[in-house]
Amino acid sequence: MISKVYSFALNGLEGVPVEVETDINKGMVAYDIVGLPDTAIKESKERVRSAIKNSIMNFPINKITINLAPADLKKEGSHYDLPIAISILKASDQLLAGTDGIVFMGELALDGTLRAVTGILPMLISAKNKGFTRFIVPAANANEASFIEGTTVYALSSLKEVVLLLTGEQLFDPVPRRSYADVKELRRYNCDLSYVKGQRIAKRALEIAVAGGHNILLVGPPGTGKTMLARCLPTIMPDMTFEEALEVTKIHSVAGELSEEGIVTLRPFRTPHHTATTVSLCGGGNTKIRAGEISKAHNGVLFLDELPEYTRHALESLRQPLEDGVITITRAGGAVTFPADFVLCASMNPCPCGNYGSAELTCSCTPAQIKKYRSKISGPLLDRIDLQVEMDSVKYDDLIAEEKEETSLQVKERVERARAVQRERFACDNVTTNSNMGEKQIKAYCRISPECEDILRDAFTNMHLSARARSRIIKVARTIADLDLCQDIQPRHIFEAASYRSYDTESV
């Protein structure tokens, strides 16, 4: 007898329907799985066999052939255990209940227990978009599956419970819907801008960066607070919408990095070590193409501490994602596109010893050493960093001053006000923040007066800027104007925006 049940495969973040077909015939005892299964699926034979027997059912001693269709799609993961087991039970007439329209996902333990699997959320979303509304998943994935409207999800703990549900011998309640608004209130950030003493220029630059979605580079001696400021970036970013949270959760679900809440409520803050490879940053893999750090930082912050210590190849690979907000990884088996719309925050010392340009410390580096150190960061990459802030050591009086610093909440309110202006401005464009503007939007929304044009011309000539740098100065000036609630860009906005472009043109 032939049976068929449904499951789903993942191609990047997109789900693809998979039909699990089982044929049981008389003949020499055999158990074959076809349809491009990976090692985890091939090893499911023994897991499924033991799970069925230990669930007080019979495993057929016949010739069993299982086909995972479409046959030309590579199947990966242990979540096919449950649909394979159900298909075998149906083909051997031990399960007579209908399974049409139900999607099964779950890994089986030897005793029949259902174990959690990765990628449940993107598979559920894709399945819903393709017309499936009923799902059976492991109990441990219940929270992750509780945010999708218009679906009926049963989160069960064993193969036996799945059979009881399908046959109607026992009733189970579907997973109740949860509100994103309630869940996001449960988690808070552990840092705040008010803890950072001094560094007003750097704080101002952070506010501009977040308000317009601009990339930022912090340059200063060790101990000036660069890392602490970077960790405060997510605290002044607007709260994620439900749609943004789902996008981020899909990526982290596939990576197996979800918390117990089942959804990511805080903006990601990824800080890979400087020994990270190009593949770990951008994504890839020989068999299964996986998301890298830049995709895990989607809708959040990617912090690269000690920027010159990263390999040149790894840094140069960031150039295209910084422009496009997505990354397409191509391998012999196909191409996968991952979202990668993040704020890049990088930090570095001004020289190998870290004291060059300090008002209080003496630099021991030669001009050649400083030039070699800075040359590790290419001009094209610096061109894509809108704000370059030079910091100095904090004075002791600033550290002990009782004057209260602005909190992240106060800065966040101004950022949200500026973001609201941008949402209204770009309502008819496929643009979210000022940093995403193309030349069409710059001409439409960034009118430059003759006085501002003269300032730009002088900066372009004296600082030897590129055409890209000129456009980015205008974008930053637009953001500064939005923070000031000014409809038009003023000369002071151009001056301030241009002041953040000095580092990439400095000579030693």
Side-chain angles (χ1 to χ4, degrees):
M1 179 178 177
I2 296 179
S3 68
K4 179 169 64 177
V5 301
Y6 286 98
S7 187
F8 259 72
L10 276 177
N11 181 28
L13 299 180
E14 295 299 319
V16 180
V18 173
E19 295 180 2
V20 180
E21 302 172 319
T22 299
D23 179 37
I24 299 179
N25 281 313
K26 295 180 179 179
M28 185 178 297
V29 177
Y31 187 175
D32 298 315
I33 301 178
V34 297
L36 292 182
D38 71 345
T39 303
I41 299 175
K42 292 177 181 177
E43 291 177 347
S44 70
K45 296 177 181 180
E46 301 307 319
R47 292 196 299 271
V48 170
R49 188 196 310 272
S50 296
I52 290 177
K53 288 182 176 180
N54 291 322
S55 298
I56 318 179
M57 288 175 279
N58 298 319
F59 188 85
I61 307 176
N62 298 92
K63 179 178 175 56
I64 303 174
T65 303
I66 297 173
N67 179 44
L68 306 178
D72 60 347
L73 175 68
K74 180 73 175 178
K75 318 300 188 308
E76 298 172 321
S78 58
H79 66 277
Y80 294 102
D81 288 4
L82 178 60
I84 288 174
I86 295 298
S87 185
I88 290 174
L89 292 176
K90 285 192 64 180
S92 60
D93 293 329
Q94 296 181 73
L95 178 62
L96 302 178
T99 58
D100 293 343
I102 303 177
V103 176
F104 298 85
M105 291 174 279
E107 176 185 334
L108 287 172
L110 297 183
D111 62 354
T113 302
L114 276 175
R115 289 176 172 157
V117 294
T118 60
I120 286 290
L121 184 67
M123 286 191 283
L124 258 62
I125 293 175
S126 297
K128 179 190 172 185
N129 293 337
K130 289 177 170 57
F132 293 92
T133 58
R134 300 176 65 197
F135 304 90
I136 295 179
V137 302
N141 291 114
N143 286 342
E144 186 178 350
S146 63
F147 295 95
I148 310 302
E149 295 289 342
T151 61
T152 302
V153 182
Y154 293 94
L156 305 178
S157 58
S158 67
L159 174 62
K160 189 173 183 180
E161 287 188 356
V162 175
V163 173
L164 291 174
L165 171 69
L166 294 174
T167 58
E169 295 179 40
Q170 185 173 341
L171 298 178
F172 295 89
D173 294 326
V175 175
R177 297 279 78 78
R178 289 198 298 164
S179 168
Y180 172 67
D182 294 337
V183 176
K184 75 176 183 179
E185 298 298 326
L186 300 177
R187 300 188 65 189
R188 289 289 184 270
Y189 295 102
N190 296 322
C191 53
D192 194 278
L193 269 181
S194 61
Y195 302 152
V196 182
K197 296 291 185 178
Q199 303 295 7
R200 287 175 174 76
I201 295 176
K203 289 180 180 179
R204 167 69 172 171
L206 288 185
E207 181 179 341
I208 296 170
V210 172
H214 305 287
N215 304 314
I216 183 170
L217 172 65
L218 302 174
V219 184
T224 54
K226 301 187 296 294
T227 301
M228 192 171 184
L229 282 169
R231 293 189 180 279
C232 290
L233 265 173
T235 68
I236 62 175
M237 300 179 80
D239 293 336
M240 283 198 294
T241 63
F242 180 55
E243 290 72 21
E244 289 177 325
L246 283 183
E247 287 181 355
V248 176
T249 303
K250 286 166 65 175
I251 299 170
H252 288 249
S253 173
V254 173
E257 298 181 3
L258 273 187
S259 62
E260 293 182 358
E261 285 85 359
I263 192 168
V264 179
T265 57
L266 299 181
R267 291 197 179 267
F269 181 84
R270 307 294 299 192
T271 173
H273 192 258
H274 60 77
T275 57
T277 63
T278 303
V279 171
S280 65
L281 279 177
C282 296
N286 295 326
T287 54
K288 183 177 182 179
I289 299 178
R290 301 180 183 276
E293 289 294 325
I294 64 173
S295 294
K296 294 175 185 177
H298 179 61
N299 287 332
V301 178
L302 177 68
F303 177 48
L304 301 182
D305 198 9
E306 303 299 338
L307 188 66
E309 302 303 325
Y310 290 81
T311 64
R312 183 69 173 257
H313 189 263
L315 292 180
E316 294 306 302
S317 66
L318 299 178
R319 285 159 56 175
Q320 178 264 331
L322 287 175
E323 288 286 338
D324 300 338
V326 297
I327 183 167
T328 300
I329 303 169
T330 305
R331 295 291 183 269
V336 174
T337 298
F338 290 105
D341 189 4
F342 57 90
V343 172
L344 172 65
C345 179
S347 72
M348 61 180 287
N349 296 329
C351 66
C353 78
N355 297 331
Y356 179 77
S358 174
E360 299 178 354
L361 303 173
T362 303
C363 177
S364 61
C365 304
T366 64
Q369 288 176 321
I370 299 174
K371 186 174 182 179
K372 180 181 179 181
Y373 180 76
R374 293 188 176 189
S375 66
K376 294 180 180 179
I377 313 301
S378 69
L381 180 61
L382 277 175
D383 238 8
R384 290 165 169 80
I385 300 179
D386 303 345
L387 298 103
Q388 301 153 15
V389 185
E390 297 189 68
M391 303 167 57
D392 204 349
S393 301
V394 182
K395 297 180 180 178
Y396 188 78
D397 290 340
D398 291 333
L399 291 175
I400 63 174
E402 295 184 0
E403 179 184 354
K404 290 186 177 181
E405 302 283 347
E406 272 194 315
T407 65
S408 291
L409 183 58
Q410 290 174 304
V411 178
K412 182 179 176 180
E413 289 174 353
R414 294 197 297 269
V415 167
E416 290 179 333
R417 188 177 60 188
R419 286 287 185 100
V421 172
Q422 294 168 56
R423 282 196 300 272
E424 183 178 352
R425 176 189 300 133
F426 302 130
C428 298
D429 298 276
N430 188 25
V431 175
T432 54
T433 58
N434 289 332
S435 65
N436 301 132
M437 286 191 294
E439 289 301 317
K440 177 182 177 182
Q441 287 80 28
I442 290 176
K443 290 182 179 179
Y445 306 121
C446 303
R447 292 186 294 273
I448 304 297
S449 67
E451 185 179 358
C452 291
E453 199 66 73
D454 290 340
I455 299 171
L456 272 174
R457 183 180 292 105
D458 290 342
F460 187 85
T461 303
N462 297 331
M463 300 170 67
H464 308 288
L465 300 176
S466 66
R468 179 186 287 112
R470 177 187 179 275
S471 296
R472 290 184 177 268
I473 288 176
I474 295 175
K475 293 178 184 180
V476 173
R478 178 68 269 175
T479 299
I480 298 171
D482 290 342
L483 287 168
D484 289 347
L485 298 181
C486 292
Q487 185 172 359
D488 295 321
I489 297 175
Q490 304 295 327
R492 68 178 186 274
H493 303 144
I494 296 290
F495 271 123
E496 184 176 0
S499 71
Y500 297 119
R501 299 295 311 187
S502 61
Y503 187 76
D504 57 354
T505 58
E506 272 191 4
S507 60
V508 179

